[in-house]
Amino acid sequence: MAGTLYLCATPIGNLEDMTYRVVRTLKEADLIAAEDTRNSVKLLNYFEIQTPMTSYHEHNKIEKGKKLVERLHRGDNVAVITDAGTPGISDPGEELVRMCMDEGIKVTAVPGAAACITALTMSGLSTRRFAFEAFLPADKKERSAVLKELSEETRTIVLYEAPHRLVKTLKLLYESLGERKASVCRELTKKHETVFESMLSQAIAYYEAHEPRGECVIVVEGKSRERQKEESEASWKEMSIEEHMAYYEEQGIDRKEAMKLVAKDRGTGKREIYKMLLKA
């Protein structure tokens, strides 16, 4: 029988966050696939884990992934760990999971710390609905597209960022999203853990004056539905009644249904829209 792929969460800072189950799973596995073996060996030594380890990262995820699948098919159990936190969240672990599922290999998770959830719960912002964006794309065109999508996002937004790019990213968010409440969480679970809660403009000013250190998680409030509605109504008012109708009809919506949608957008009755069209 094929082995099992275990996704093992490791501490994001404080070693005491390592669970008993993760320690046991890593000790019992036949092989540990680590994002950075130089970093992970310190963790394994601390918990006296002597399981053989191999590297599995962004630059070898396809070639090494195939080899790991072969080991799993032979019956070996493989545990995956990232530098910190939960494998598969903003790292190549997701590709290995997909490869295993395509091959019919069992995949299970041994849960633990995740920086995005830790920051969200400490942010002081709404936690009921949220959108995790990880790191913004490096490509300028792709980044602009993502920021445009986020500008209309009504859920709380969670992003990762390195300290040397924090101010630049905060400025991009301010330019694209406008003024919003935000919490910048740094050094999570460590001795110098901080949560800076403010408006985006205030966060920019603060971190321009105080050089940030440590990995950062940015949590930003979503766009309020009231503001979204106001902006939507304002955009319709700038259109003529014919342009508004054309907006829906060009999407393949029949004229009768388009009239209903236009009436809803403008907060009026369908009969009024009909009269306005006749007059036009």
Side-chain angles (χ1 to χ4, degrees), residues 181-193:
K181 290 181 181 178
S183 290
V184 177
C185 307
R186 299 185 309 106
E187 297 283 76
L188 291 171
T189 76
K190 299 178 184 178
K191 183 178 179 180
H192 300 293
E193 173 185 274

Side-chain angles (χ1 to χ4, degrees), residues 84 133 220 272:
E133 191 57 46
V220 185
E272 291 302 313

